[in-house]
Amino acid sequence: MLLQGIEIAFLPIGQEIPQIIQLSKAVFDVANENEFLDSFTKVRNSGIYTMLSFSVKLGRVQAQGKGHHFI
């Protein structure tokens, strides 16, 4: 994801399983709507890839009460 210019932060820092995954990409002086949509799509696809990576590694997510639990 670094090749696409997307920054990832796993919060809280230092935990094995993060509670929050933050994805961002700096966008400066967008010439047209297509460039903005391209950046938006890259961030969205990176988020989907990250979530799928966690589900493959940790198992299927099962929501029980507050928060998510992996089974």
Side-chain angles (χ1 to χ4, degrees):
M1 292 196 233
L2 293 174
L3 295 176
Q4 297 177 2
I6 296 172
E7 298 178 14
I8 301 175
F10 298 104
L11 304 171
I13 297 172
Q15 286 191 349
E16 186 175 343
I17 300 174
Q19 299 297 316
I20 299 170
I21 301 171
Q22 180 179 349
L23 297 149
S24 61
K25 179 177 174 112
V27 179
F28 301 104
D29 296 327
V30 182
N32 58 32
E33 298 86 17
N34 289 334
E35 287 182 23
F36 177 79
L37 287 174
D38 182 53
S39 296
F40 176 81
T41 304
K42 285 181 181 179
V43 171
R44 185 198 60 181
N45 290 344
S46 297
I48 292 170
Y49 175 77
T50 302
M51 289 186 289
L52 288 175
S53 296
F54 271 97
S55 81
V56 166
K57 180 86 172 177
L58 301 174
R60 194 176 80 233
V61 176
Q62 179 182 16
Q64 293 179 343
K66 187 175 181 182
H68 294 294
H69 304 277
F70 292 89
I71 59 170

